[in-house]
Amino acid sequence: MKNLCLLSFFLMLISCNKNDISTIIDSPDKKIKVIFFLDNGTPYYSIEKEDKLILKKSKLGLILKDNVFLNKNFIINNIQIDSYKNLWKPLLGEYKIIENNYKELKIELKQNKKILFLEFRIFNDGIGFRYTIPNQKNIKNYDIIDEITEFNLSEKDSAFWQPAFSYRRYEFLYANTRIDEISKKKYSELVEDLSFDSIGFDAAQTPLTIKKNNGLFISIHEANLINYSSMTLSPKGKGKLEALLYPWSDGTKVKLNESIISPWRTIQIADSSSDLLNSSLILNLNEDPEKTEDYSWVKPGKYMGVWWEMIGTNESTWWPSEFHGANTNKVKKYLDFASKHNFDGLLVEGWNKGWYPEWCCSGNGIPFNFIDTVDDFDFNEITSYISDKNISIVGHHETGGQIENYENQLEEAFKLYQKMGVKYVKTGYVNDVSKNIKRIEKDGNVFKEWHHGQFMINHFQKVIEIAAKYKISIITHEPIKDTGLRRKFPNFISREGAKGQEFNGFSSNGVNHATDLPFTRLLSGPMDYTPGIFQLNKFRFIAPGTNELDYNAIVPSTIAKELALYVVYYSPMQMAADLPKHYKKHPRAFEFIKKVPVNWESKLILNSKISEYLTIARKDINSENWYIGGITDEKQREFYLKLDFLNPKHEYLAKIYQDTKKTHWKKNPMEYEIKEIEINNESTIPIYLAPGGGFAIEIIKN
Ligand code: NOJ
Ligand code: CA
């Protein structure tokens, strides 16, 4: 006890009663405070920022199998504080250099002879904490039955959320309601009917963005999700959320043979919606690659694909047919176009055996083959065709969510792709039924698992690690959410994990989704949204082989906004999703896609209002050039952009791609104007964004 009381000089221990100790630790800039305490042996924490309440008294703890309740009857055995500050360089990223600066509080809690460690890191932009249970004699079974982590907000705070435990994983629009209203019922009323999808619980996916009643913005998420189950947030009334982990089919949340290190539970805290986008906290709570691993082969890039003609324009099929997209001749034509315009990759979907018209989405289809090609696709011919071109095939593994079938072929499949010079593989897990991933045990018994439970988290990890053996980077569709693992495993280069552009092909995201994404899904990391559609209406055919257009199909955007997305939505592997024939109609706008970088030195949020508009400026990592992208929801806007962030020593040429006064996402989406003006750091540029539109600027140093 004496030692603990001595610590009060540093920690402001409010009380030194044996079982009732409050410890306050603040962020390096002293603005954020975390208060940790035991109340009758139960661990709690709360958070404040400059006297504004972020979280009220919230419980902590874990319950393990065999009635091991590590959420009560504790005493504090030891407390350690530390601080840490350094700069580090991500291999690829939004920033060339990232500062990692935090104070750390490590608490050893003791319950009889059992030990639980709680570790808090307090940064200037939020906090992270995690549980560690080392191997110990008095714990025999480390399986987690429940995690008792609470996030006790205010009833008046509102959340931007999408439902967890739902059939289409993260591919949902966002609802904006009070925290207590998070439920499938409310979602069905406001956004999309989920009444049929009744298994599972009422909970929200993370990152969960919250606009607090006191004006602050926070995002609750997790970092370093490895060999654990994914966290969702379940409303408990009066603004309280509780961590709810995806369970295994037998109800266990996490299965572990020994010791537990949980992922970090993260709370990013910002004064404004713009500040929220500046946080690198998730990456800071991940680790660098092992010293022995060399990832210098992971390269950022841009790619085109034999893709939109299936999913968007509906001119071709993935499966063998008269209209099969991925045939040798067509792939060569795409390769000619993409390599002429300096793309790094060409995605080829439908190259392998296993596709047929009903392939999607039950999880029960004929399993895919990842080795054998369809008859009209000659992989050897394609490989020699590109031997003198500086472009790689982006391979494709659609698994249909059939994990055993995929894992049985994993090594072979990556070996084949490596032999063919493939540097990137897009994977896919379409299986649009809740809790429907088959897990087949050795005795042949089949169990159905959730897409985001520990079974799948371990599968995604396995794919990344095997792909790395073959020097292949992975772009996952229907993935597990990003928790910053790309820092340690840089070949997990990008992923989908939200409603992306594809939905505008076969359905619609509506005009307001694009401005939700940066404040929600994109807070977790890069997204393979697949921007760059130029033909925004009259693009989709009723069926392959007909000339009949589906006039209802529209991409609710403008060409200028499609360009803006390359700057606004970060991804080190960025697609130009439209067809060559559509790009040929707009060669000058296409120039922007060719020029825009995918790896950056820094970013600045020039303006934003959550889910309504956003303007981001990014500096190229390889030059003195800057790129600006701005997007708006259904409302038109006018901005005056001050360029005072430019280097005062230089003069620049700005190429501005913007909507005209006549552009409109629905009525007239493909009208834009391109202006070139000389600028410097004293310039202010007036900008117009049409309803549902946007703008992009390339700023080139003279
Ligand atoms: C869904 C993916 O998101 C999409 O990009 C892909 O084309 C289809 N699945 C087929 O694999
Ligand atoms: Ca998808």
Side-chain angles (χ1 to χ4, degrees), residues 171 307 310-311 318 347 349 355 359-360 368 396-399 426-430 477-478 496 502-503 506 528 530:
E171 293 177 2
W307 180 69
M310 284 91 89
I311 213 155
W318 277 277
L347 169 67
E349 294 200 5
W355 292 93
W359 72 273
C360 187
F368 285 97
H396 187 229
H397 288 165
E398 172 56 64
T399 68
K426 169 178 164 182
T427 58
Y429 295 85
V430 181
H477 277 229
E478 300 77 42
E496 189 190 38
E502 62 176 12
F503 277 82
F506 55 78
D528 191 41
T530 71

PDB file of all heavy atoms in Angstrom, residues 171 307 310-311 318 347 349 355 359-360 368 396-399 426-430 477-478 496 502-503 506 528 530, ligand 1:
ATOM      1  N   GLU A 171     -21.759  -4.741 -45.220  1.00  0.00           N
ATOM      2  CA  GLU A 171     -22.264  -4.088 -46.438  1.00  0.00           C
ATOM      3  C   GLU A 171     -23.659  -3.535 -46.210  1.00  0.00           C
ATOM      4  O   GLU A 171     -24.665  -4.023 -46.746  1.00  0.00           O
ATOM      5  CB  GLU A 171     -22.192  -5.063 -47.609  1.00  0.00           C
ATOM      6  CG  GLU A 171     -20.738  -5.381 -47.954  1.00  0.00           C
ATOM      7  CD  GLU A 171     -20.560  -6.393 -49.065  1.00  0.00           C
ATOM      8  OE1 GLU A 171     -21.566  -6.850 -49.634  1.00  0.00           O
ATOM      9  OE2 GLU A 171     -19.408  -6.739 -49.363  1.00  0.00           O
ATOM     10  N   TRP A 307     -14.207  -6.534 -64.554  1.00  0.00           N
ATOM     11  CA  TRP A 307     -15.036  -6.561 -63.348  1.00  0.00           C
ATOM     12  C   TRP A 307     -16.359  -5.819 -63.509  1.00  0.00           C
ATOM     13  O   TRP A 307     -17.421  -6.392 -63.385  1.00  0.00           O
ATOM     14  CB  TRP A 307     -14.231  -5.950 -62.179  1.00  0.00           C
ATOM     15  CG  TRP A 307     -14.975  -5.916 -60.891  1.00  0.00           C
ATOM     16  CD1 TRP A 307     -15.317  -7.001 -60.132  1.00  0.00           C
ATOM     17  CD2 TRP A 307     -15.496  -4.770 -60.213  1.00  0.00           C
ATOM     18  NE1 TRP A 307     -16.015  -6.597 -59.020  1.00  0.00           N
ATOM     19  CE2 TRP A 307     -16.134  -5.224 -59.036  1.00  0.00           C
ATOM     20  CE3 TRP A 307     -15.473  -3.397 -60.473  1.00  0.00           C
ATOM     21  CZ2 TRP A 307     -16.757  -4.372 -58.131  1.00  0.00           C
ATOM     22  CZ3 TRP A 307     -16.085  -2.535 -59.562  1.00  0.00           C
ATOM     23  CH2 TRP A 307     -16.709  -3.025 -58.406  1.00  0.00           C
ATOM     24  N   MET A 310     -19.152  -7.146 -65.490  1.00  0.00           N
ATOM     25  CA  MET A 310     -20.040  -8.148 -64.898  1.00  0.00           C
ATOM     26  C   MET A 310     -20.951  -7.493 -63.854  1.00  0.00           C
ATOM     27  O   MET A 310     -22.163  -7.568 -63.929  1.00  0.00           O
ATOM     28  CB  MET A 310     -19.226  -9.257 -64.204  1.00  0.00           C
ATOM     29  CG  MET A 310     -18.574 -10.250 -65.140  1.00  0.00           C
ATOM     30  SD  MET A 310     -16.906  -9.747 -65.615  1.00  0.00           S
ATOM     31  CE  MET A 310     -15.911 -10.475 -64.329  1.00  0.00           C
ATOM     32  N   ILE A 311     -20.339  -6.839 -62.906  1.00  0.00           N
ATOM     33  CA  ILE A 311     -21.107  -6.380 -61.745  1.00  0.00           C
ATOM     34  C   ILE A 311     -21.866  -5.073 -62.018  1.00  0.00           C
ATOM     35  O   ILE A 311     -22.904  -4.821 -61.420  1.00  0.00           O
ATOM     36  CB  ILE A 311     -20.165  -6.235 -60.517  1.00  0.00           C
ATOM     37  CG1 ILE A 311     -20.916  -6.561 -59.234  1.00  0.00           C
ATOM     38  CG2 ILE A 311     -19.500  -4.878 -60.438  1.00  0.00           C
ATOM     39  CD1 ILE A 311     -20.035  -7.036 -58.119  1.00  0.00           C
ATOM     40  N   TRP A 318     -19.320 -14.027 -65.155  1.00  0.00           N
ATOM     41  CA  TRP A 318     -18.132 -14.587 -64.506  1.00  0.00           C
ATOM     42  C   TRP A 318     -17.943 -16.035 -64.987  1.00  0.00           C
ATOM     43  O   TRP A 318     -16.852 -16.538 -65.041  1.00  0.00           O
ATOM     44  CB  TRP A 318     -18.330 -14.641 -62.985  1.00  0.00           C
ATOM     45  CG  TRP A 318     -18.051 -13.391 -62.237  1.00  0.00           C
ATOM     46  CD1 TRP A 318     -16.818 -12.972 -61.817  1.00  0.00           C
ATOM     47  CD2 TRP A 318     -18.977 -12.424 -61.763  1.00  0.00           C
ATOM     48  NE1 TRP A 318     -16.940 -11.802 -61.115  1.00  0.00           N
ATOM     49  CE2 TRP A 318     -18.246 -11.443 -61.054  1.00  0.00           C
ATOM     50  CE3 TRP A 318     -20.373 -12.284 -61.853  1.00  0.00           C
ATOM     51  CZ2 TRP A 318     -18.857 -10.345 -60.454  1.00  0.00           C
ATOM     52  CZ3 TRP A 318     -20.974 -11.197 -61.249  1.00  0.00           C
ATOM     53  CH2 TRP A 318     -20.218 -10.230 -60.568  1.00  0.00           C
ATOM     54  N   LEU A 347      -7.187  -6.632 -62.670  1.00  0.00           N
ATOM     55  CA  LEU A 347      -7.953  -7.675 -61.978  1.00  0.00           C
ATOM     56  C   LEU A 347      -8.657  -8.549 -63.007  1.00  0.00           C
ATOM     57  O   LEU A 347      -9.288  -8.041 -63.938  1.00  0.00           O
ATOM     58  CB  LEU A 347      -8.985  -7.000 -61.065  1.00  0.00           C
ATOM     59  CG  LEU A 347     -10.056  -7.893 -60.445  1.00  0.00           C
ATOM     60  CD1 LEU A 347      -9.448  -8.863 -59.435  1.00  0.00           C
ATOM     61  CD2 LEU A 347     -11.133  -7.039 -59.761  1.00  0.00           C
ATOM     62  N   GLU A 349     -11.425 -11.423 -62.944  1.00  0.00           N
ATOM     63  CA  GLU A 349     -12.387 -12.267 -62.213  1.00  0.00           C
ATOM     64  C   GLU A 349     -13.061 -13.209 -63.207  1.00  0.00           C
ATOM     65  O   GLU A 349     -13.419 -12.796 -64.309  1.00  0.00           O
ATOM     66  CB  GLU A 349     -13.447 -11.400 -61.525  1.00  0.00           C
ATOM     67  CG  GLU A 349     -12.877 -10.538 -60.433  1.00  0.00           C
ATOM     68  CD  GLU A 349     -13.928 -10.035 -59.431  1.00  0.00           C
ATOM     69  OE1 GLU A 349     -15.098 -10.431 -59.513  1.00  0.00           O
ATOM     70  OE2 GLU A 349     -13.538  -9.241 -58.550  1.00  0.00           O
ATOM     71  N   TRP A 355     -17.256 -21.202 -61.401  1.00  0.00           N
ATOM     72  CA  TRP A 355     -18.300 -20.181 -61.567  1.00  0.00           C
ATOM     73  C   TRP A 355     -19.461 -20.775 -62.350  1.00  0.00           C
ATOM     74  O   TRP A 355     -19.274 -21.493 -63.319  1.00  0.00           O
ATOM     75  CB  TRP A 355     -17.753 -18.974 -62.328  1.00  0.00           C
ATOM     76  CG  TRP A 355     -16.731 -18.190 -61.571  1.00  0.00           C
ATOM     77  CD1 TRP A 355     -15.382 -18.350 -61.635  1.00  0.00           C
ATOM     78  CD2 TRP A 355     -16.972 -17.136 -60.644  1.00  0.00           C
ATOM     79  NE1 TRP A 355     -14.756 -17.454 -60.801  1.00  0.00           N
ATOM     80  CE2 TRP A 355     -15.715 -16.687 -60.175  1.00  0.00           C
ATOM     81  CE3 TRP A 355     -18.120 -16.511 -60.156  1.00  0.00           C
ATOM     82  CZ2 TRP A 355     -15.579 -15.663 -59.251  1.00  0.00           C
ATOM     83  CZ3 TRP A 355     -17.980 -15.485 -59.240  1.00  0.00           C
ATOM     84  CH2 TRP A 355     -16.722 -15.072 -58.795  1.00  0.00           C
ATOM     85  N   TRP A 359     -23.879 -19.129 -58.554  1.00  0.00           N
ATOM     86  CA  TRP A 359     -22.755 -19.265 -57.602  1.00  0.00           C
ATOM     87  C   TRP A 359     -23.006 -18.539 -56.279  1.00  0.00           C
ATOM     88  O   TRP A 359     -22.520 -18.939 -55.234  1.00  0.00           O
ATOM     89  CB  TRP A 359     -21.456 -18.733 -58.224  1.00  0.00           C
ATOM     90  CG  TRP A 359     -21.440 -17.237 -58.334  1.00  0.00           C
ATOM     91  CD1 TRP A 359     -21.921 -16.494 -59.354  1.00  0.00           C
ATOM     92  CD2 TRP A 359     -20.943 -16.318 -57.359  1.00  0.00           C
ATOM     93  NE1 TRP A 359     -21.776 -15.166 -59.084  1.00  0.00           N
ATOM     94  CE2 TRP A 359     -21.169 -15.026 -57.864  1.00  0.00           C
ATOM     95  CE3 TRP A 359     -20.331 -16.453 -56.116  1.00  0.00           C
ATOM     96  CZ2 TRP A 359     -20.818 -13.870 -57.167  1.00  0.00           C
ATOM     97  CZ3 TRP A 359     -19.981 -15.307 -55.407  1.00  0.00           C
ATOM     98  CH2 TRP A 359     -20.232 -14.033 -55.943  1.00  0.00           C
ATOM     99  N   CYS A 360     -23.759 -17.468 -56.367  1.00  0.00           N
ATOM    100  CA  CYS A 360     -23.916 -16.585 -55.203  1.00  0.00           C
ATOM    101  C   CYS A 360     -25.215 -16.893 -54.464  1.00  0.00           C
ATOM    102  O   CYS A 360     -26.220 -17.167 -55.095  1.00  0.00           O
ATOM    103  CB  CYS A 360     -23.946 -15.139 -55.690  1.00  0.00           C
ATOM    104  SG  CYS A 360     -23.943 -13.896 -54.408  1.00  0.00           S
ATOM    105  N   PHE A 368     -15.345 -23.519 -55.389  1.00  0.00           N
ATOM    106  CA  PHE A 368     -14.456 -22.963 -56.420  1.00  0.00           C
ATOM    107  C   PHE A 368     -13.146 -23.735 -56.474  1.00  0.00           C
ATOM    108  O   PHE A 368     -12.654 -24.249 -55.471  1.00  0.00           O
ATOM    109  CB  PHE A 368     -14.145 -21.494 -56.117  1.00  0.00           C
ATOM    110  CG  PHE A 368     -15.288 -20.582 -56.414  1.00  0.00           C
ATOM    111  CD1 PHE A 368     -16.158 -20.180 -55.412  1.00  0.00           C
ATOM    112  CD2 PHE A 368     -15.496 -20.114 -57.707  1.00  0.00           C
ATOM    113  CE1 PHE A 368     -17.221 -19.335 -55.680  1.00  0.00           C
ATOM    114  CE2 PHE A 368     -16.559 -19.265 -57.992  1.00  0.00           C
ATOM    115  CZ  PHE A 368     -17.424 -18.874 -56.974  1.00  0.00           C
ATOM    116  N   HIS A 396      -7.690 -13.431 -58.491  1.00  0.00           N
ATOM    117  CA  HIS A 396      -8.980 -13.388 -57.794  1.00  0.00           C
ATOM    118  C   HIS A 396      -9.330 -14.742 -57.198  1.00  0.00           C
ATOM    119  O   HIS A 396      -9.294 -15.763 -57.888  1.00  0.00           O
ATOM    120  CB  HIS A 396     -10.082 -12.953 -58.770  1.00  0.00           C
ATOM    121  CG  HIS A 396     -11.401 -12.733 -58.096  1.00  0.00           C
ATOM    122  ND1 HIS A 396     -12.582 -13.264 -58.558  1.00  0.00           N
ATOM    123  CD2 HIS A 396     -11.717 -12.051 -56.960  1.00  0.00           C
ATOM    124  CE1 HIS A 396     -13.573 -12.904 -57.742  1.00  0.00           C
ATOM    125  NE2 HIS A 396     -13.072 -12.162 -56.777  1.00  0.00           N
ATOM    126  N   HIS A 397      -9.631 -14.734 -55.916  1.00  0.00           N
ATOM    127  CA  HIS A 397     -10.096 -15.928 -55.211  1.00  0.00           C
ATOM    128  C   HIS A 397     -11.449 -15.640 -54.582  1.00  0.00           C
ATOM    129  O   HIS A 397     -11.522 -15.140 -53.459  1.00  0.00           O
ATOM    130  CB  HIS A 397      -9.123 -16.298 -54.078  1.00  0.00           C
ATOM    131  CG  HIS A 397      -7.818 -16.851 -54.532  1.00  0.00           C
ATOM    132  ND1 HIS A 397      -6.731 -16.939 -53.685  1.00  0.00           N
ATOM    133  CD2 HIS A 397      -7.420 -17.367 -55.720  1.00  0.00           C
ATOM    134  CE1 HIS A 397      -5.708 -17.486 -54.350  1.00  0.00           C
ATOM    135  NE2 HIS A 397      -6.103 -17.743 -55.590  1.00  0.00           N
ATOM    136  N   GLU A 398     -12.520 -15.901 -55.293  1.00  0.00           N
ATOM    137  CA  GLU A 398     -13.845 -15.831 -54.649  1.00  0.00           C
ATOM    138  C   GLU A 398     -14.074 -17.180 -53.978  1.00  0.00           C
ATOM    139  O   GLU A 398     -14.084 -18.213 -54.652  1.00  0.00           O
ATOM    140  CB  GLU A 398     -14.936 -15.546 -55.688  1.00  0.00           C
ATOM    141  CG  GLU A 398     -16.359 -15.645 -55.155  1.00  0.00           C
ATOM    142  CD  GLU A 398     -16.618 -14.735 -53.949  1.00  0.00           C
ATOM    143  OE1 GLU A 398     -16.549 -13.522 -54.101  1.00  0.00           O
ATOM    144  OE2 GLU A 398     -16.883 -15.280 -52.838  1.00  0.00           O
ATOM    145  N   THR A 399     -14.238 -17.175 -52.677  1.00  0.00           N
ATOM    146  CA  THR A 399     -14.374 -18.441 -51.949  1.00  0.00           C
ATOM    147  C   THR A 399     -15.832 -18.833 -51.725  1.00  0.00           C
ATOM    148  O   THR A 399     -16.114 -19.960 -51.336  1.00  0.00           O
ATOM    149  CB  THR A 399     -13.725 -18.333 -50.553  1.00  0.00           C
ATOM    150  OG1 THR A 399     -14.494 -17.420 -49.769  1.00  0.00           O
ATOM    151  CG2 THR A 399     -12.292 -17.852 -50.638  1.00  0.00           C
ATOM    152  N   LYS A 426      -7.094 -10.451 -55.074  1.00  0.00           N
ATOM    153  CA  LYS A 426      -8.328 -10.014 -54.401  1.00  0.00           C
ATOM    154  C   LYS A 426      -9.060 -11.277 -53.948  1.00  0.00           C
ATOM    155  O   LYS A 426      -9.275 -12.191 -54.744  1.00  0.00           O
ATOM    156  CB  LYS A 426      -9.172  -9.219 -55.398  1.00  0.00           C
ATOM    157  CG  LYS A 426     -10.587  -8.922 -54.931  1.00  0.00           C
ATOM    158  CD  LYS A 426     -11.328  -8.078 -55.980  1.00  0.00           C
ATOM    159  CE  LYS A 426     -12.824  -8.094 -55.740  1.00  0.00           C
ATOM    160  NZ  LYS A 426     -13.555  -7.326 -56.766  1.00  0.00           N
ATOM    161  N   THR A 427      -9.391 -11.337 -52.681  1.00  0.00           N
ATOM    162  CA  THR A 427     -10.146 -12.481 -52.181  1.00  0.00           C
ATOM    163  C   THR A 427     -11.591 -12.052 -51.923  1.00  0.00           C
ATOM    164  O   THR A 427     -11.883 -10.852 -51.820  1.00  0.00           O
ATOM    165  CB  THR A 427      -9.544 -13.017 -50.866  1.00  0.00           C
ATOM    166  OG1 THR A 427      -9.535 -11.961 -49.907  1.00  0.00           O
ATOM    167  CG2 THR A 427      -8.133 -13.532 -51.064  1.00  0.00           C
ATOM    168  N   GLY A 428     -12.496 -13.023 -51.815  1.00  0.00           N
ATOM    169  CA  GLY A 428     -13.905 -12.681 -51.589  1.00  0.00           C
ATOM    170  C   GLY A 428     -14.601 -13.761 -50.793  1.00  0.00           C
ATOM    171  O   GLY A 428     -14.247 -14.941 -50.883  1.00  0.00           O
ATOM    172  N   TYR A 429     -15.546 -13.356 -49.980  1.00  0.00           N
ATOM    173  CA  TYR A 429     -16.225 -14.281 -49.058  1.00  0.00           C
ATOM    174  C   TYR A 429     -17.731 -14.058 -49.083  1.00  0.00           C
ATOM    175  O   TYR A 429     -18.368 -13.914 -48.052  1.00  0.00           O
ATOM    176  CB  TYR A 429     -15.673 -14.090 -47.646  1.00  0.00           C
ATOM    177  CG  TYR A 429     -14.210 -14.472 -47.528  1.00  0.00           C
ATOM    178  CD1 TYR A 429     -13.192 -13.574 -47.851  1.00  0.00           C
ATOM    179  CD2 TYR A 429     -13.843 -15.752 -47.132  1.00  0.00           C
ATOM    180  CE1 TYR A 429     -11.856 -13.933 -47.767  1.00  0.00           C
ATOM    181  CE2 TYR A 429     -12.508 -16.125 -47.046  1.00  0.00           C
ATOM    182  CZ  TYR A 429     -11.521 -15.204 -47.366  1.00  0.00           C
ATOM    183  OH  TYR A 429     -10.201 -15.569 -47.285  1.00  0.00           O
ATOM    184  N   VAL A 430     -18.298 -14.008 -50.294  1.00  0.00           N
ATOM    185  CA  VAL A 430     -19.735 -13.750 -50.375  1.00  0.00           C
ATOM    186  C   VAL A 430     -20.493 -14.966 -49.853  1.00  0.00           C
ATOM    187  O   VAL A 430     -20.329 -16.072 -50.360  1.00  0.00           O
ATOM    188  CB  VAL A 430     -20.177 -13.455 -51.822  1.00  0.00           C
ATOM    189  CG1 VAL A 430     -21.670 -13.173 -51.854  1.00  0.00           C
ATOM    190  CG2 VAL A 430     -19.416 -12.278 -52.388  1.00  0.00           C
ATOM    191  N   HIS A 477     -12.268  -8.798 -50.039  1.00  0.00           N
ATOM    192  CA  HIS A 477     -13.673  -8.364 -50.041  1.00  0.00           C
ATOM    193  C   HIS A 477     -14.438  -9.244 -49.063  1.00  0.00           C
ATOM    194  O   HIS A 477     -14.035 -10.372 -48.783  1.00  0.00           O
ATOM    195  CB  HIS A 477     -14.260  -8.438 -51.453  1.00  0.00           C
ATOM    196  CG  HIS A 477     -13.919  -7.215 -52.241  1.00  0.00           C
ATOM    197  ND1 HIS A 477     -14.838  -6.493 -52.956  1.00  0.00           N
ATOM    198  CD2 HIS A 477     -12.735  -6.570 -52.375  1.00  0.00           C
ATOM    199  CE1 HIS A 477     -14.228  -5.452 -53.502  1.00  0.00           C
ATOM    200  NE2 HIS A 477     -12.953  -5.478 -53.184  1.00  0.00           N
ATOM    201  N   GLU A 478     -15.521  -8.690 -48.528  1.00  0.00           N
ATOM    202  CA  GLU A 478     -16.248  -9.352 -47.436  1.00  0.00           C
ATOM    203  C   GLU A 478     -15.247  -9.758 -46.342  1.00  0.00           C
ATOM    204  O   GLU A 478     -15.199 -10.910 -45.906  1.00  0.00           O
ATOM    205  CB  GLU A 478     -17.049 -10.573 -47.923  1.00  0.00           C
ATOM    206  CG  GLU A 478     -18.094 -10.248 -48.973  1.00  0.00           C
ATOM    207  CD  GLU A 478     -17.495 -10.040 -50.359  1.00  0.00           C
ATOM    208  OE1 GLU A 478     -16.614 -10.810 -50.731  1.00  0.00           O
ATOM    209  OE2 GLU A 478     -17.896  -9.094 -51.038  1.00  0.00           O
ATOM    210  N   GLU A 496     -12.385  -4.349 -48.607  1.00  0.00           N
ATOM    211  CA  GLU A 496     -13.693  -3.721 -48.805  1.00  0.00           C
ATOM    212  C   GLU A 496     -14.277  -3.472 -47.409  1.00  0.00           C
ATOM    213  O   GLU A 496     -13.834  -2.576 -46.713  1.00  0.00           O
ATOM    214  CB  GLU A 496     -14.542  -4.660 -49.655  1.00  0.00           C
ATOM    215  CG  GLU A 496     -15.836  -4.086 -50.145  1.00  0.00           C
ATOM    216  CD  GLU A 496     -16.706  -5.152 -50.768  1.00  0.00           C
ATOM    217  OE1 GLU A 496     -16.743  -6.301 -50.273  1.00  0.00           O
ATOM    218  OE2 GLU A 496     -17.377  -4.839 -51.756  1.00  0.00           O
ATOM    219  N   GLU A 502     -19.688  -1.287 -55.924  1.00  0.00           N
ATOM    220  CA  GLU A 502     -20.374  -2.384 -56.607  1.00  0.00           C
ATOM    221  C   GLU A 502     -21.896  -2.285 -56.466  1.00  0.00           C
ATOM    222  O   GLU A 502     -22.629  -2.605 -57.395  1.00  0.00           O
ATOM    223  CB  GLU A 502     -19.889  -3.732 -56.070  1.00  0.00           C
ATOM    224  CG  GLU A 502     -20.162  -3.950 -54.595  1.00  0.00           C
ATOM    225  CD  GLU A 502     -19.751  -5.349 -54.099  1.00  0.00           C
ATOM    226  OE1 GLU A 502     -19.063  -6.062 -54.832  1.00  0.00           O
ATOM    227  OE2 GLU A 502     -20.135  -5.703 -52.971  1.00  0.00           O
ATOM    228  N   PHE A 503     -22.347  -1.810 -55.283  1.00  0.00           N
ATOM    229  CA  PHE A 503     -23.800  -1.737 -55.069  1.00  0.00           C
ATOM    230  C   PHE A 503     -24.463  -0.745 -56.021  1.00  0.00           C
ATOM    231  O   PHE A 503     -25.642  -0.881 -56.319  1.00  0.00           O
ATOM    232  CB  PHE A 503     -24.109  -1.374 -53.613  1.00  0.00           C
ATOM    233  CG  PHE A 503     -24.084  -2.579 -52.717  1.00  0.00           C
ATOM    234  CD1 PHE A 503     -22.881  -3.053 -52.229  1.00  0.00           C
ATOM    235  CD2 PHE A 503     -25.236  -3.270 -52.408  1.00  0.00           C
ATOM    236  CE1 PHE A 503     -22.838  -4.182 -51.427  1.00  0.00           C
ATOM    237  CE2 PHE A 503     -25.210  -4.405 -51.619  1.00  0.00           C
ATOM    238  CZ  PHE A 503     -24.001  -4.869 -51.116  1.00  0.00           C
ATOM    239  N   PHE A 506     -25.386  -2.981 -59.227  1.00  0.00           N
ATOM    240  CA  PHE A 506     -26.544  -3.887 -59.254  1.00  0.00           C
ATOM    241  C   PHE A 506     -27.692  -3.445 -58.355  1.00  0.00           C
ATOM    242  O   PHE A 506     -28.748  -4.074 -58.338  1.00  0.00           O
ATOM    243  CB  PHE A 506     -26.119  -5.318 -58.918  1.00  0.00           C
ATOM    244  CG  PHE A 506     -25.381  -5.464 -57.610  1.00  0.00           C
ATOM    245  CD1 PHE A 506     -26.065  -5.454 -56.409  1.00  0.00           C
ATOM    246  CD2 PHE A 506     -23.989  -5.627 -57.590  1.00  0.00           C
ATOM    247  CE1 PHE A 506     -25.389  -5.602 -55.208  1.00  0.00           C
ATOM    248  CE2 PHE A 506     -23.310  -5.772 -56.390  1.00  0.00           C
ATOM    249  CZ  PHE A 506     -24.009  -5.765 -55.192  1.00  0.00           C
ATOM    250  N   ASP A 528     -11.057  -0.648 -50.393  1.00  0.00           N
ATOM    251  CA  ASP A 528     -11.154  -0.923 -51.828  1.00  0.00           C
ATOM    252  C   ASP A 528     -12.584  -0.593 -52.264  1.00  0.00           C
ATOM    253  O   ASP A 528     -13.385  -1.482 -52.546  1.00  0.00           O
ATOM    254  CB  ASP A 528     -10.832  -2.402 -52.083  1.00  0.00           C
ATOM    255  CG  ASP A 528     -10.640  -2.695 -53.570  1.00  0.00           C
ATOM    256  OD1 ASP A 528     -10.011  -1.864 -54.259  1.00  0.00           O
ATOM    257  OD2 ASP A 528     -11.124  -3.734 -54.046  1.00  0.00           O
ATOM    258  N   THR A 530     -13.365   1.086 -54.929  1.00  0.00           N
ATOM    259  CA  THR A 530     -13.376   1.029 -56.399  1.00  0.00           C
ATOM    260  C   THR A 530     -14.094   2.234 -57.024  1.00  0.00           C
ATOM    261  O   THR A 530     -15.147   2.113 -57.646  1.00  0.00           O
ATOM    262  CB  THR A 530     -13.931  -0.316 -56.944  1.00  0.00           C
ATOM    263  OG1 THR A 530     -15.318  -0.417 -56.729  1.00  0.00           O
ATOM    264  CG2 THR A 530     -13.228  -1.489 -56.317  1.00  0.00           C
TER     265      THR A 530
HETATM  266  C1  NOJ B   1     -18.315  -9.437 -54.166  1.00  0.00           C
HETATM  267  C2  NOJ B   1     -17.151  -8.526 -54.309  1.00  0.00           C
HETATM  268  O1  NOJ B   1     -17.273  -7.407 -53.480  1.00  0.00           O
HETATM  269  C3  NOJ B   1     -17.059  -8.144 -55.767  1.00  0.00           C
HETATM  270  O2  NOJ B   1     -16.050  -7.178 -55.951  1.00  0.00           O
HETATM  271  C4  NOJ B   1     -16.789  -9.381 -56.576  1.00  0.00           C
HETATM  272  O3  NOJ B   1     -16.749  -9.065 -57.935  1.00  0.00           O
HETATM  273  C5  NOJ B   1     -17.891 -10.407 -56.363  1.00  0.00           C
HETATM  274  N1  NOJ B   1     -18.090 -10.624 -54.980  1.00  0.00           N
HETATM  275  C6  NOJ B   1     -17.525 -11.726 -57.020  1.00  0.00           C
HETATM  276  O4  NOJ B   1     -16.425 -12.285 -56.403  1.00  0.00           O
END
